[in-house]
Amino acid sequence: MTTEQLVVNAPQPKTGRQERYEAAAEFVRQCYSECGRDAAIDDRITDVWHAIGQTGRYTHTPMELAHGAKMAWRNSNRCIGRHFWDRLRVRDCRDATTPTAVYEALVDHITAATNGGNIRPTISVFPAAMQDSPRVRIWNTQLIRYAGYDTGTGIVGDPDTAALTRYCQSRGWVGEGTPFDLLPLVIQVGDREPELFELPEETVVEVPLSHPEHEWFADLELQWYAVPIVSDMILEIGGLRYPAAPFNGWYMGTEIGSRDLGDRDRYDKLPEIGERLGFETTTDRSLWKDRALTALNRAVLHSFDRHGVRIVDHHTAADQFERFEHEERAAGRSVTGDRSWLLPPNASSTTHVFHTEYDETVRTPNFFYRDASLPN
Ligand code: ARG
């Protein structure tokens, strides 16, 4: 699915006061009732009504922000990791209003979330979008990602970041040219030119890949970073939008082993691995792709384990998701989901997700894609 389609699917921002008030009131009711604070609902809705009437906006309390962000994760139809929604650590960064302050908060996020390998699901929420104040934007799709250099004869690195890499180069950034160079952070406040910040190397944990049985695997010199911190989505809570709200969980192995390193339009490593394994790569019927995928996925799980970095395999993740479905029903809530995204790319029919239908309704709070992918 393209970003464009996603933007069409996203509800329009709540610009009208009446609409914003209704979205706010609905959120306050649900949030306070889930948090056992029913008695405070009416007063809070009155406050919000006055605030929106006078200024067109209202401000979330720390409790509303924290629980709203958790609800947004719980409502993320594509995420198989939602069993842990209530353990999200929410960092209130609404006072960061300069690129440098944002950068420092992001470095702190990486360190706190990485936690020496015992990864903690974390979100950092920067100022809400307001008509009259400058908007904070992070142009990276994830805080940690590898550059992709267009060499004319092919891409060195991650083809998925080629456009951002070109933008960074146009702004004077020079990478080393390896397949695994960390991109700088590109942070913009208001209409001023985005600023580039190099990630401090010591804050980024990376895992070199080896295989439990094939010693040659390490010679491929593959690696991946420990923590996926998605930074290209807008957090919407109760009619307010937070355009910069990077969040992370830990990886599911297939994200790296099947997609990032396996996809033909990403690192495309299956042919090389198939050859090294001695498979007949000239015929599909040898199932060399399936077997190379399995080897690559085993290497990812094995290496993250060896380096003490938390990662979940797709079988365990599916089981946890099934538990989430039961727990939600027990709490009186129905579960929504996008089956095409929930399905692991490997061995999908061995998981219950394959055999289940999901209601695709999109609820808020939630995360939505932003509409531009590069500064203009
Ligand atoms: N699929 C993305 C990647 O491979 C990461 C998306 C978020 N994943 C997560 N486990 N929270 O980098």
Side-chain angles (χ1 to χ4, degrees):
M1 192 180 274
T2 66
T3 308
E4 233 165 340
Q5 281 171 299
L6 290 165
V7 171
V8 175
N9 291 341
Q12 290 307 301
K14 308 287 181 296
T15 39
R17 290 187 178 199
Q18 183 59 28
E19 278 172 312
R20 172 166 292 173
Y21 167 69
E22 279 163 19
E26 188 191 330
F27 164 68
V28 167
R29 265 184 226 107
Q30 195 182 353
C31 173
Y32 281 62
S33 119
E34 286 184 15
C35 296
R37 303 215 11 218
D38 298 77
I41 292 178
D42 290 345
D43 282 353
R44 179 58 178 147
I45 289 184
T46 309
D47 285 352
V48 167
W49 191 76
H50 283 300
I52 293 179
Q54 277 161 15
T55 64
R57 50 169 301 203
Y58 73 108
T59 307
H60 287 136
T61 66
M63 180 282 265
E64 290 165 0
L65 188 71
H67 194 69
K70 292 179 176 185
M71 290 167 77
W73 184 7
R74 197 177 69 204
N75 286 331
S76 291
N77 288 358
R78 296 171 163 190
C79 176
I80 195 173
R82 287 182 272 163
H83 175 60
F84 297 93
W85 70 272
D86 199 27
R87 293 200 224 159
L88 180 65
R89 297 163 69 103
V90 182
R91 303 174 71 238
D92 187 348
C93 302
R94 288 178 291 176
D95 58 357
T97 50
T98 64
T100 303
V102 172
Y103 167 69
E104 284 166 2
L106 294 178
V107 172
D108 289 346
H109 179 135
I110 294 174
T111 306
T114 305
N115 191 29
N118 188 12
I119 297 167
R120 296 188 282 220
T122 304
I123 185 169
S124 296
V125 185
F126 292 93
M130 298 296 166
Q131 223 109 58
D132 46 357
S133 58
R135 171 180 294 228
V136 174
R137 270 180 292 191
I138 302 164
W139 286 102
N140 310 69
T141 54
Q142 293 180 26
L143 298 187
I144 302 171
R145 281 204 81 178
Y146 297 124
Y149 305 100
D150 201 338
T151 61
T153 54
I155 305 267
V156 171
D158 193 342
D160 202 44
T161 63
L164 186 66
T165 302
R166 218 175 303 121
Y167 171 78
C168 291
Q169 289 173 318
S170 80
R171 295 290 313 281
W173 178 78
V174 187
E176 285 179 45
T178 80
F180 299 106
D181 288 354
L182 296 173
L183 278 169
L185 291 170
V186 182
I187 300 167
Q188 184 175 31
V189 175
D191 294 326
R192 281 183 311 193
E193 192 166 48
E195 289 182 30
L196 274 56
F197 297 86
E198 209 64 71
L199 286 170
E201 246 168 64
E202 67 279 6
T203 57
V204 179
V205 172
E206 293 169 286
V207 178
L209 301 189
S210 60
H211 191 281
E213 281 139 32
H214 305 301
E215 244 178 74
W216 53 262
F217 199 98
D219 303 336
L220 300 174
E221 300 195 326
L222 299 176
Q223 62 177 58
W224 206 252
Y225 50 87
V227 193
I229 313 171
V230 174
S231 51
D232 61 350
M233 298 189 87
I234 294 170
L235 167 64
E236 183 177 320
I237 302 174
L240 296 187
R241 300 195 132 203
Y242 295 94
F247 59 85
N248 73 275
W250 46 80
Y251 263 115
M252 178 164 87
T254 55
E255 298 184 85
I256 305 168
S258 302
R259 309 297 314 282
D260 298 333
L261 296 176
D263 273 6
R264 284 178 75 170
D265 59 0
R266 298 291 300 288
Y267 279 79
D268 192 21
K269 288 293 166 189
L270 298 185
E272 195 177 347
I273 294 170
E275 299 277 342
R276 296 293 293 254
L277 285 164
F279 298 150
E280 225 182 312
T281 57
T282 49
T283 165
D284 283 341
R285 288 185 82 83
S286 66
L287 299 186
W288 67 270
K289 286 181 208 165
D290 312 56
R291 294 150 81 194
L293 265 175
T294 303
L296 182 47
N297 274 280
R298 277 199 75 200
V300 168
L301 294 172
H302 165 80
S303 310
F304 271 61
D305 285 346
R306 252 188 70 185
H307 285 81
V309 175
R310 184 157 188 175
I311 192 163
V312 68
D313 66 82
H314 45 295
H315 303 287
T316 305
D319 288 347
Q320 291 168 342
F321 188 69
E322 193 169 23
R323 244 180 289 152
F324 166 73
E325 293 173 56
H326 291 309
E327 282 168 11
E328 285 302 289
R329 261 175 238 123
R333 294 185 290 262
S334 67
V335 173
T336 57
D338 179 339
R339 184 170 172 276
S340 70
W341 275 68
L342 292 171
L343 277 177
N346 290 32
S348 34
S349 67
T350 67
T351 69
H352 81 287
V353 179
F354 189 89
H355 309 276
T356 311
E357 279 179 46
Y358 291 94
D359 168 6
E360 294 189 5
T361 307
V362 175
R363 300 204 178 112
T364 58
N366 213 321
F367 296 98
F368 298 101
Y369 283 98
R370 61 181 179 216
D371 49 9
S373 57
L374 276 182
N376 47 34

